[in-house]
Amino acid sequence: ETGVTQSPTHLIKTRGQQVTLRCSSQSGHNTVSWYQQALGQGPQFIFQYYREEENGRGNFPPRFSGLQFPNYSSELNVNALELDDSALYLCASTSRGSYNSPLHFGNGTRLTVT
Amino acid sequence: AQTVTQSQPEMSVQEAETVTLSCTYDTSENNYYLFWYKQPPSRQMILVIRQEAYKQQNATENRFSVNFQKAAKSFSLKISDSQLGDTAMYFCAFMKHNNNDMRFGAGTRLTVKP
């Protein structure tokens, strides 16, 4: 069983730039969620993708967008980066239809915006 | 909106002793799930234990057990026979039934001392 994998592990960007983070879901999982974890805080829900469509969104502006592909992998795109976007971005997958199925997380991408 | 509160930012325990981490949550839902996740320095969120709200019996996983008080909206985690490898951030999380959107508390940093 392949777990959730994220790339890259670390990334440094400049304010105003755009970034794309990638996630491969665990085998057998069809739903991907993205979380932002600022230093010293709990993960905050960004959005979730199911069947290649956004299926729930947290309190994040439209410059945070995503995609899900037919193989259930996903991308998180952030435009016009701000300093406060510096955080650990976690991807998690689960199997929709198993409603008590917990999220399985990747190791995250550490984004630093300077 | 659902909120999860962890009132203990940091805790420590001697190896082999028992420690309890607190969590309270606020919801108007009747069907939901609660989780404890562990995040070691490796950054990956690892599921420790889960509880279905409709079950009165407290969940147990080896050295980990919960005290679920639905009326009080309390969900504490007890770690028995603490081990050095238990040192990590611990996050309490809430998920509504029929919804894969998981909400996290701010976390408790647990240090197990030799």
Side-chain angles (χ1 to χ4, degrees):
Chain A
E1 182 179 84
T2 306
V4 178
T5 58
Q6 292 186 243
S7 62
T9 54
H10 295 86
L11 201 53
I12 300 175
K13 288 287 189 178
T14 303
R15 188 172 51 184
Q17 286 187 315
Q18 177 267 342
V19 68
T20 298
L21 310 182
R22 295 179 174 81
C23 171
S24 293
S25 60
Q26 182 167 311
S27 60
H29 287 179
N30 56 17
T31 302
V32 174
S33 300
W34 286 93
Y35 286 80
Q36 180 195 66
Q37 186 178 16
L39 194 63
Q41 297 183 24
Q44 300 294 314
F45 175 68
I46 303 175
F47 45 54
Q48 182 184 91
Y49 276 82
Y50 171 65
R51 289 187 175 177
E52 303 176 48
E53 292 189 357
E54 188 178 288
N55 181 49
R57 188 179 183 93
N59 189 27
F60 281 81
R63 59 189 185 83
F64 285 78
S65 63
L67 287 172
Q68 186 182 33
F69 301 98
N71 66 354
Y72 306 123
S73 66
S74 177
E75 288 182 355
L76 164 65
N77 299 291
V78 187
N79 294 323
L81 283 166
E82 301 177 359
L83 297 180
D84 285 348
D85 295 335
S86 295
L88 179 66
Y89 288 85
L90 295 167
C91 171
S93 71
T94 189
S95 179
R96 192 172 182 88
S98 301
Y99 294 114
N100 66 341
S101 175
L103 299 179
H104 295 257
F105 286 84
N107 285 352
T109 294
R110 172 76 65 192
L111 173 65
T112 302
V113 182
T114 62
Chain B
Q2 289 73 36
T3 58
V4 179
T5 302
Q6 294 178 250
S7 59
Q8 305 153 313
E10 294 190 27
M11 292 194 72
S12 64
V13 62
Q14 291 296 132
E15 194 175 6
E17 307 230 321
T18 296
V19 64
T20 298
L21 308 184
S22 301
C23 172
T24 59
Y25 57 94
D26 184 27
T27 185
S28 58
E29 302 287 328
N30 190 47
N31 293 327
Y32 52 88
Y33 307 95
L34 295 163
F35 305 85
W36 278 97
Y37 277 86
K38 166 185 176 181
Q39 188 178 40
S42 66
R43 308 185 323 200
Q44 186 173 23
M45 299 281 278
I46 301 166
L47 178 67
V48 174
I49 198 166
R50 69 176 121 175
Q51 173 81 42
E52 290 86 354
Y54 64 85
K55 289 186 178 180
Q56 292 186 342
Q57 186 174 7
N58 289 324
T60 299
E61 288 286 343
N62 301 314
R63 299 183 295 108
F64 300 88
S65 61
V66 299
N67 182 4
F68 173 48
Q69 301 291 327
K70 191 172 183 179
K73 296 180 182 175
S74 170
F75 183 61
S76 61
L77 172 69
K78 185 172 83 171
I79 306 175
S80 303
D81 186 25
S82 297
Q83 300 176 1
L84 297 178
D86 295 335
T87 293
M89 285 290 292
Y90 285 81
F91 293 96
C92 178
F94 170 99
M95 186 171 75
K96 288 191 295 185
H97 182 60
N98 290 347
N99 187 322
N100 293 121
D101 169 12
M102 193 174 287
R103 303 296 172 124
F104 291 83
T108 296
R109 182 177 301 281
L110 176 67
T111 302
V112 180
K113 298 179 179 179

